[in-house]
Amino acid sequence: GGLPCSFCHEGRYPFEHAHALGVYRGFLRDAILFAKRPGGGPLAYKIGQILGDAFAAQLAEHGYSLLTAAPVHWRRRLRRGFNGAELIIRGLQTRLPVPASGGLLVHRRPTRKQAMLSSSQRGRNVKGAFRLRPGHDLAGQQILLVDDVMTTGETAGELSRVLRRAGAERVDLLVVARGLPPADRKDVGT
């Protein structure tokens, strides 16, 4: 909340609101990176509880009907042993009683790591990379999409488009940290 973001002000996202615990730096950055490593699952779960403690009242006001996680490609999941965003949701559910569907979205083709790409390359990298798992009816759903970090919002935007095309009425985003676009970093002292 309150972080400057030129992309948000431009209204370029298909999700309505984005909530972040903080900026992707320092201790928060270190915790996220550790939670992504093999053995980091318990930390990802605890991060979900912390998110719930920080945002439960605010999120409850929106009346979400479903929580879902940003998916990871099966190869990356195999290396890690888990999807950190799904574990974050499990921790979050201890504070926010909303049903979750961790396998709702599928990362259907390998993509390059977004952190290694320029802003202009990120959108092309994830375009068409996700799909909805068959058999899910999202008509009228109020969905909270959970991920660890959002920088340019290209991944969250593409996932939100998939959910909206499947009938979701609203998609909001909850992330642990917000990596600010380069133009906005000077405003927060990074």
Side-chain angles (χ1 to χ4, degrees), residues 114-174:
Q114 291 287 79
M116 306 315 228
L117 303 174
S118 71
S119 231
S120 61
Q121 294 172 316
R122 290 176 184 215
R124 290 189 303 273
N125 187 45
V126 295
K127 186 161 182 62
F130 308 106
R131 68 172 173 81
L132 189 70
R133 191 173 302 279
H136 292 278
D137 180 14
L138 300 184
Q141 295 281 337
Q142 308 286 324
I143 298 176
L144 182 62
L145 174 63
V146 178
D147 204 356
D148 53 7
V149 180
M150 179 180 110
T151 302
T152 62
E154 295 296 341
T155 301
E158 185 67 14
L159 290 167
S160 296
R161 279 187 279 283
V162 169
L163 294 168
R164 297 293 300 264
R165 282 193 299 264
E169 184 177 313
R170 173 190 179 127
V171 178
D172 286 348
L173 179 65
L174 177 64

Side-chain angles (χ1 to χ4, degrees), residues 59-131:
L59 296 174
E61 292 175 9
H62 292 292
Y64 297 111
S65 52
L66 186 65
L67 303 174
T68 195
V72 295
H73 190 267
W74 67 268
R75 288 182 193 149
R76 193 168 292 159
R77 185 182 185 121
L78 189 61
R79 278 194 303 271
R80 286 185 193 159
F82 60 92
N83 175 350
E86 289 177 2
L87 293 178
I88 290 170
I89 283 178
R90 287 188 197 157
L92 178 63
Q93 283 185 296
T94 66
R95 309 302 199 261
L96 184 71
V98 176
S101 180
L104 180 66
L105 295 160
V106 176
H107 197 153
R108 64 169 162 208
R109 65 172 169 77
T111 53
R112 295 172 57 199
K113 287 189 176 188
Q114 291 287 79
M116 306 315 228
L117 303 174
S118 71
S119 231
S120 61
Q121 294 172 316
R122 290 176 184 215
R124 290 189 303 273
N125 187 45
V126 295
K127 186 161 182 62
F130 308 106
R131 68 172 173 81

